[in-house]
Amino acid sequence: MDAENLHYFEKAPVAKAVAHFAVPMMLGTSMSVVYSILNALFLGTLGNTAMLTALALTLPLFAVIMALGNLIGVGSSAFISRLLGEKKVDDVRHVSSFAFYSSLVLGLIAMAVGLPLIDSIVHGLGATPDSFGFTKDYVTMMLIGSPFVVLFFTLENIVRSEGAAITSMTGMLLSVVVNIILDVLVIFVFHWDVIGVASATVISNLVASAFYAFHIGYKSKFLTISIKRFKATKDILSNVFKIGVPVFIMSIFMGAMSLIFNRFLVEYGEQAVAGFGISSRLLQFPELILMGLSEGVVPLIAFSFTANKLRMKHTIQFTIKTIVALAAVFGVIVYLISDHLIGLFTDDPQLIEMGSYILHVTFLSLFITGMTALFTGIFQATAQGTAAFIMSVIQGITLIPVLFIANRLNGFHGVVWSLVISDAVAFLVGAIMLYVLRNKLQPDVDNLGKIELKI
């Protein structure tokens, strides 16, 4: 950690420190959404709804691969930041080496297990006869490239954990730029449609992973990818997995929820599935900006938890205010121009109507999603494994029964509204746990819970 990063961890005004850590993350995640939107736009120009459907159906698979990266990356990142707050530099090197090689092994396991089961996976994703071939192409390429995708998510997290927020953002932007350039080539020059899009995603993750590995190997003062530093001690495994496993479960639930949600939507036609896919990509932009804010401050919260708890409290307060302001701005914009946004992807009137409706409803939970991400980040940063685990499963546990009931009672409308209901339940559970844990998180300041939850 250089002197500048140390300054932001310890001494910079809270607003400046939050901006230093969160803005690069917000920019990086927002650019990844721009790529995701362009991805659908490029395929949309080919005039084949089945391709857009395949793109939507494969979201659960990507969530699973991302989950493997977060299993190691998020747990290691939070642990590294806490160790830096305690000045335990040698332990940091062991954890970063463990993260690098463990993520590669997990990616190889995913590829080895997934490829022989390719047809079963595609059927399980809910592919229709029209979209089966496109879905299989995408799934095949993603499984082949899963070691690089897993590594990308792991390295992005641990680079950010030492305060190198700009470097973390640069890697994300590099991935997006390479992805967009390759998308244009594979779709419009080589005419590889969906399999080209998947290949572009894998290659861009490989390029970004190489960038992060170079930074860690040659520029970072504390992180390392040296195999000589690799250790899998009980302390490392415990601290990484007590946070990583809940994140992994949460990501799996996200994939499962997307899968289940798609299966319900299939009953209402391919336009409903494609409409959800398009609206989800549009929702990702503000949603991931808020999540980028919440995730971006995790290293600062983790460092302050072991070094200066009063600073941690002020960081949380400022982040809550920022989430409120951003959610309000994004909500107004979307409600004014939702039809035009969906119309960028298609000229199908039914698809525009369904997509716009889904967008209106899901945007209602934007503030809730941002706050839930912050609650989860606080629990991760402060090593509250049980609370992090509860946050990881509560939304999925809530959504599944709500989906069945809402679908029976109100059909398509009930399915869409079930997302808002499950988000609201997760928010309430997170707020209650934060209040209950207030003394444990902040023993040197009274009434932390009251201050933090005052919105």
Side-chain angles (χ1 to χ4, degrees):
M1 186 192 312
D2 59 28
E4 181 183 8
N5 288 334
L6 186 61
H7 169 73
Y8 283 109
F9 269 121
E10 293 183 329
K11 298 179 180 179
V14 168
K16 268 191 175 181
V18 169
H20 172 78
F21 285 96
V23 170
M25 185 68 179
M26 293 162 71
L27 290 174
T29 53
S30 64
M31 282 301 297
S32 68
V33 177
V34 170
Y35 153 70
S36 181
I37 292 172
L38 288 175
N39 214 1
L41 279 172
F42 292 153
L43 282 180
T45 61
L46 301 180
N48 191 327
T49 300
M51 291 184 185
L52 289 174
T53 302
L55 209 58
L57 291 174
T58 51
L59 287 175
L61 174 69
F62 191 79
V64 171
I65 297 174
M66 179 180 69
L68 292 173
N70 287 335
L71 170 65
I72 302 297
V74 174
S76 298
S77 172
F79 190 29
I80 287 171
S81 293
R82 291 197 302 273
L83 289 171
L84 288 173
E86 296 175 296
K87 314 300 182 187
K88 296 180 178 179
V89 177
D90 202 48
D91 289 342
V92 168
R93 294 192 177 99
H94 293 313
V95 176
S96 61
S97 179
F98 168 82
F100 182 86
Y101 292 102
S102 298
S103 60
L104 273 179
V105 170
L106 280 178
L108 290 170
I109 292 173
M111 179 175 64
V113 171
L115 286 176
L117 302 173
I118 190 77
D119 285 344
S120 299
I121 292 172
V122 175
H123 282 298
L125 291 171
T128 62
D130 288 340
S131 63
F132 185 90
F134 296 124
T135 306
K136 183 174 181 178
D137 287 343
Y138 194 99
V139 170
T140 301
M141 288 307 304
M142 288 305 299
L143 287 173
I144 291 173
S146 56
F148 308 122
V149 180
V150 172
L151 185 62
F152 167 76
F153 282 103
T154 297
L155 296 186
E156 183 274 319
N157 274 287
I158 66 171
V159 165
R160 188 159 37 90
S161 71
E162 68 164 350
I166 300 297
T167 302
S168 174
M169 178 191 69
T170 303
M172 287 188 283
L173 293 181
L174 178 63
S175 172
V176 170
V177 171
V178 171
N179 218 325
I180 291 173
I181 293 172
L182 291 177
D183 266 352
V184 172
L185 290 174
V186 298
I187 294 176
F188 299 115
V189 178
F190 301 118
H191 307 292
W192 290 349
D193 52 68
V194 172
I195 196 168
V197 169
S199 301
T201 299
V202 170
I203 294 171
S204 65
N205 278 267
L206 171 59
V207 171
S209 296
F211 168 80
Y212 286 136
F214 176 81
H215 168 81
I216 294 172
Y218 294 97
K219 294 188 177 182
S220 174
K221 291 186 177 180
F222 299 133
L223 303 178
T224 182
I225 58 173
S226 170
I227 190 66
K228 295 178 182 179
R229 292 285 186 171
F230 180 89
K231 273 190 178 181
T233 64
K234 182 179 179 180
D235 186 49
I236 290 175
L237 293 172
S238 172
N239 278 281
V240 170
F241 288 118
K242 75 178 176 182
I243 298 302
V245 169
V247 174
F248 175 77
I249 293 172
M250 180 169 60
S251 299
I252 293 297
F253 263 117
M254 286 174 60
M257 287 189 293
S258 179
L259 173 61
I260 295 169
F261 198 76
N262 281 334
R263 296 299 285 267
F264 273 89
L265 286 177
V266 164
E267 298 178 19
Y268 303 99
E270 285 203 349
Q271 282 84 359
V273 178
F276 176 63
I278 293 171
S279 62
S280 295
R281 280 172 168 75
L282 291 171
L283 180 63
Q284 276 182 335
F285 185 76
E287 193 172 66
L288 287 184
I289 284 180
L290 292 181
M291 291 181 70
L293 169 62
S294 299
E295 292 174 9
V297 298
V298 167
L300 181 58
I301 293 173
F303 184 97
S304 301
F305 179 66
T306 53
N308 184 345
K309 289 191 173 70
L310 181 60
R311 184 172 175 82
M312 181 188 77
K313 183 191 74 171
H314 293 154
T315 299
I316 294 171
Q317 288 178 317
F318 181 81
T319 305
I320 290 175
K321 294 175 184 176
T322 307
I323 289 173
V324 173
L326 288 175
V329 171
F330 285 129
V332 170
I333 292 173
V334 165
Y335 273 89
L336 290 176
I337 61 171
S338 60
D339 286 348
H340 298 291
L341 290 173
I342 301 294
L344 293 173
F345 296 84
T346 179
D347 55 4
D348 183 334
Q350 186 180 3
L351 185 51
I352 291 174
E353 182 182 356
M354 281 188 163
S356 182
Y357 173 71
I358 294 171
L359 197 58
H360 279 163
V361 173
T362 51
F363 250 91
L364 291 174
S365 61
L366 184 60
F367 162 73
I368 295 174
T369 302
M371 288 299 299
T372 302
L374 178 61
F375 294 156
T376 304
I378 293 170
F379 299 141
Q380 292 168 356
T382 56
Q384 305 303 315
T386 302
F389 177 80
I390 293 172
M391 289 300 295
S392 70
V393 301
I394 188 63
Q395 188 179 26
I397 289 175
T398 305
L399 178 62
I400 294 171
V402 168
L403 259 175
F404 280 95
I405 296 171
N407 185 49
R408 280 181 171 271
L409 294 178
N410 208 18
F412 172 72
H413 299 284
V415 171
V416 176
W417 275 93
S418 63
L419 290 172
V420 179
I421 296 171
S422 60
D423 283 341
V425 172
F427 168 80
L428 289 174
V429 171
I432 291 170
M433 287 194 298
L434 187 61
Y435 182 81
V436 170
L437 290 169
R438 67 193 184 281
N439 290 329
K440 187 174 183 180
L441 298 181
Q442 192 77 3
D444 55 342
V445 177
D446 293 330
N447 301 319
L448 171 63
K450 296 178 183 177
I451 296 173
E452 284 181 341
L453 298 177
K454 193 179 292 181
I455 299 170

